Amino acid sequence: MAVRPQLCEACSIKDLTFCSSLHGAEHDQLRQLLTHVQFDSHSTIFHEAEEADYVFNVTSGSVKLYKLLGDGRRQITGFLFAGDFLGLALNANYSYTAEAVEPVTACRFPRQKLEKLFDQFPHLEKRMLGMAVDELAAAQDQMLLLGRKTAKEKVASFLLMLARRQEHRGEKTDMINVPMSRSDIADYLGLTIETVSRTLTQLRKESTISLKDNRHIEAVGLDMLEDLAEGL
Amino acid sequence: MAVRPQLCEACSIKDLTFCSSLHGAEHDQLRQLLTHVQFDSHSTIFHEAEEADYVFNVTSGSVKLYKLLGDGRRQITGFLFAGDFLGLALNANYSYTAEAVEPVTACRFPRQKLEKLFDQFPHLEKRMLGMAVDELAAAQDQMLLLGRKTAKEKVASFLLMLARRQEHRGEKTDMINVPMSRSDIADYLGLTIETVSRTLTQLRKESTISLKDNRHIEAVGLDMLEDLAEGL
DNA sequence: CGAATGTTTGATGGGTTTCAAGTGTGGTGG
DNA sequence: CCACCACACTTGAAACCCATCAAACATTCG
C-alpha cells in the first residue's frame, strides 16, 4: 500500500479503519465529511430507534452497544474499541443504543453524504460490506455463546475475545485490559454480576487467570481458556 | 419499478430477492451466472469452514444455519425461507453449516463471478450491504432473546418471527407454518426439546395458541405473544 | 474520613435441564 | 389394510446450574 500522509485520526490506527483503504485525493474528500467528536464515560452516543444520521469510527476508548426489553432487562450486543466502526445501520434508525464505557474519541460522518461517496468510491462500499459480514460472523459466535455455553465457558470466551482484539490493535497482550464493569460483562454474557464474579474467582483459584485488579486480568492458562471457549 | 419479464425463479418471489432490483440486460448477465439447485430434507447445503465458492438464493423450502461446539452442542443461528439469501460470507470460508429443513430449491451463484458483477452494477452491492445490515439487526434481536428472555418469551418470539416472515412472503397468516422439528426449535432458542414442548403446552392451555398438529400452530392471542416477546 | 458505588461471597430458591417413561404418528412390509 | 417399528413428541420426577436475596468487603470520590 502506498505511503500516505496521515490525514485523520481514524487513519492513524494502523489500517484498521475503513478510510485507510483510500489514497490522496479520495481521502481528502472523505476527510471533509468528518467531524472529530468526544464522549465522556457513560454518555450516550446514540439511542436505539433514533434517526441514524451519523456513522462513527472509534479512534480511542471503548463503547458498548445494547438493546433493552420492556421491563428493563438489558443485552449488550457488542463492545467497540479503537478502529471499530459504529452505526452501520443503513436503515433510517439505529437498532441499538451506543454508550461510552471509557472516554471515547471518534470520527463522525453524516450518513447520507457518506453514502453518496460510496457511488464515487466503490472501494469504500466494499469495505463497508466486509465489515458488516465480519460483524455478522461475530454475532453468530455470540449466539452460540449465549445459547449453548456454560457460565465458565462464557467468561473464558469473553476474556479471549478481549485478548485477541487487543492483539489485533497491536497492544501488549501480557495483561488483558477490561474497561467495562462486571455489570456490563454480565449483560454481555447473559449472566448476573454475581455469577461473573464467582466465575472469575473460580478461574483465579484454578490458576487459569490472575486478577491484578478489577480492570486488569492476566491469562495464565491461555490454553485452558481456549479449550473452555470451544466447548471441549 | 419497470415491468420486467420473469427471468429466474429468484425473481418470481415478488421482489424479495436481491436480483429483483435489476432490469433487462443487467438481469440477463446475472442470470447467466446462476444454476438452479435442489436439496432433500436434512441434506447439507454447505459445511462450516468449507470454502465459500457459492452464494445461494432460496426459492422454496426452508433452511437452518448452525454452529457447533467441540462436544456437539449446537446453536441454530437462523432459519431461511423463500426469498432469503444464503452464504453472504465474503470471506474465503463459510462461518456456519447450512442444512435443508424441508426440500429446498435455490439459485446458486459462483461467488467470485458475482463479486465481479458488483463492480459493474453497484446496485447489487448496495442491495447486498442492505441485506447484511438487516441480518445483523436480526442477529442482535436474537442475542437479546438468547441472553435475556425466559423460555416462554423465547417461544412466543419464535412463533411471532415465523408469523411475520410468513406475512412478509405474502402467505396466509391464519395458521403458522412450523416446518422445523422441536429439536431445531430448541437449538434455535437455546433450550431443550422438553422445555420447548412444555412451553407450547402451557401456551395452549392458556389459549394463547392452538396446536393443529406438530407443524401447524394457530396464534389465537397474538397480542399476548407480542407482549411476551417484548418482555412486558 | 465517610458516603456512595462497585465487587465479592454466602445462603437459598427457582427455572430449566436431565433422566426416564409414556404417547402419538408416519412409514414399511406382510 | 393393518400390524409393527422407528422416531418424534409429550409428560413426569429429580437434579442442577444459575438467579435472587442478603451481607460483607473494597474502591472511589467528595
Side-chain angles (χ1 to χ4, degrees):
Chain A
M1 197 160 284
V3 176
R4 162 178 40 70
Q6 263 184 212
L7 292 171
C8 76
E9 285 181 29
C11 284
S12 73
I13 311 170
K14 295 190 257 53
D15 286 333
L16 292 178
T17 63
F18 85 111
C19 48
S20 59
S21 63
L22 292 176
H23 304 267
E26 296 187 355
H27 193 277
D28 283 343
Q29 283 212 33
L30 187 64
R31 196 190 171 203
Q32 281 166 23
L33 292 186
L34 73 80
T35 314
H36 293 292
V37 289
Q38 290 186 215
F39 300 94
D40 294 334
S41 286
H42 306 126
S43 69
T44 301
I45 300 173
F46 54 74
H47 272 104
E48 180 175 352
E50 209 174 273
E51 268 188 53
D53 294 330
Y54 299 101
V55 298
F56 302 82
N57 209 334
V58 178
T59 49
S60 77
S62 49
V63 176
K64 63 187 174 199
L65 312 179
Y66 63 84
K67 293 175 75 79
L68 295 171
L69 283 175
D71 62 357
R73 276 172 287 171
R74 184 178 70 155
Q75 179 65 41
I76 292 184
T77 57
F79 291 106
L80 301 181
F81 304 100
D84 290 335
F85 201 83
L86 174 56
L88 52 65
L90 291 189
N91 316 318
N93 300 29
Y94 297 117
S95 64
Y96 46 74
T97 301
E99 192 180 313
V101 171
E102 300 172 287
V104 164
T105 60
C107 296
R108 192 185 69 183
F109 303 89
R111 191 172 60 85
Q112 295 201 349
K113 288 183 184 169
L114 186 63
E115 277 181 49
K116 273 178 198 148
L117 219 57
F118 285 171
D119 301 332
Q120 248 177 296
F121 309 128
H123 226 83
L124 264 188
E125 186 150 42
K126 270 206 163 42
R127 182 127 186 160
M128 197 76 140
L129 181 53
M131 290 190 302
V133 167
D134 286 345
E135 266 197 60
L136 203 50
Q140 284 154 353
D141 282 337
Q142 191 67 0
M143 285 191 234
L144 179 61
L145 177 147
L146 290 168
R148 288 298 179 223
K149 289 186 185 176
T150 64
K152 196 172 175 181
E153 291 165 345
K154 285 177 176 181
V155 171
S157 303
F158 171 70
L159 293 174
L160 265 182
M161 181 273 286
L162 286 183
R164 285 181 180 149
R165 292 177 73 174
Q166 205 165 310
E167 189 178 10
H168 179 246
R169 295 195 302 277
E171 299 173 11
K172 278 195 302 179
T173 54
D174 53 335
M175 194 68 80
I176 303 174
N177 218 314
V178 186
M180 61 291 288
S181 67
R182 296 290 184 266
S183 170
D184 286 343
I185 300 173
D187 282 348
Y188 181 63
L189 300 178
L191 299 170
T192 59
I193 46 178
E194 292 94 331
T195 301
V196 170
S197 180
R198 273 186 254 271
T199 307
L200 286 171
T201 303
Q202 191 193 347
L203 288 172
R204 179 173 50 74
K205 284 183 178 163
E206 291 170 359
S207 304
T208 306
I209 60 172
S210 167
L211 289 136
K212 189 181 176 245
D213 60 53
N214 283 335
R215 295 288 186 266
H216 298 274
I217 294 177
E218 190 189 349
V220 181
L222 205 65
D223 303 346
M224 190 64 204
L225 286 184
E226 282 166 357
D227 286 351
L228 276 170
E230 285 164 32
L232 298 173
Chain B
M1 197 159 283
V3 176
R4 164 177 39 69
Q6 262 184 212
L7 291 170
C8 76
E9 285 181 29
C11 284
S12 73
I13 311 171
K14 297 188 254 58
D15 287 332
L16 293 178
T17 61
F18 86 110
C19 49
S20 59
S21 63
L22 292 177
H23 305 263
E26 295 186 356
H27 192 276
D28 283 344
Q29 275 203 250
L30 186 64
R31 196 189 170 202
Q32 281 166 24
L33 291 185
L34 74 80
T35 314
H36 292 293
V37 289
Q38 289 185 215
F39 300 93
D40 294 335
S41 287
H42 305 128
S43 70
T44 300
I45 299 172
F46 54 75
H47 271 105
E48 182 174 351
E50 209 174 274
E51 269 189 52
D53 294 330
Y54 299 101
V55 298
F56 302 82
N57 208 333
V58 178
T59 49
S60 76
S62 49
V63 176
K64 63 188 174 199
L65 312 180
Y66 63 83
K67 294 176 73 81
L68 296 171
L69 284 176
D71 62 358
R73 276 171 288 171
R74 185 178 69 153
Q75 179 65 40
I76 292 185
T77 57
F79 291 107
L80 302 181
F81 304 99
D84 290 334
F85 202 83
L86 175 55
L88 51 67
L90 291 189
N91 316 318
N93 300 20
Y94 297 117
S95 63
Y96 46 74
T97 301
E99 191 180 312
V101 171
E102 301 172 286
V104 164
T105 59
C107 296
R108 191 184 70 184
F109 303 89
R111 192 172 60 87
Q112 295 202 347
K113 288 184 185 171
L114 186 63
E115 276 182 50
K116 273 179 200 148
L117 219 56
F118 283 171
D119 301 333
Q120 247 178 295
F121 309 128
H123 226 83
L124 264 188
E125 185 150 44
K126 270 207 164 42
R127 182 129 187 155
M128 198 76 141
L129 180 54
M131 291 190 301
V133 167
D134 286 345
E135 266 198 60
L136 202 50
Q140 284 156 352
D141 283 337
Q142 191 66 2
M143 285 190 232
L144 178 61
L145 178 148
L146 290 168
R148 287 301 179 220
K149 288 187 186 176
T150 64
K152 196 173 174 183
E153 292 166 344
K154 285 178 176 181
V155 171
S157 304
F158 172 69
L159 293 175
L160 264 183
M161 180 273 285
L162 285 183
R164 284 179 180 150
R165 292 177 74 174
Q166 206 166 310
E167 190 177 9
H168 180 246
R169 295 195 302 277
E171 299 173 10
K172 278 196 301 176
T173 53
D174 53 334
M175 196 68 83
I176 303 174
N177 219 316
V178 187
M180 61 290 287
S181 67
R182 296 289 183 269
S183 170
D184 286 343
I185 299 173
D187 283 348
Y188 180 63
L189 299 177
L191 299 170
T192 58
I193 44 177
E194 292 93 332
T195 300
V196 170
S197 180
R198 274 186 256 269
T199 306
L200 285 171
T201 303
Q202 192 194 347
L203 289 172
R204 180 172 52 72
K205 285 183 177 164
E206 293 170 358
S207 306
T208 306
I209 60 171
S210 166
L211 289 137
K212 190 182 176 246
D213 60 53
N214 284 335
R215 295 288 186 267
H216 298 275
I217 295 177
E218 190 188 348
V220 181
L222 205 65
D223 303 345
M224 188 67 205
L225 286 184
E226 281 166 358
D227 286 351
L228 277 170
E230 285 163 35
L232 299 173

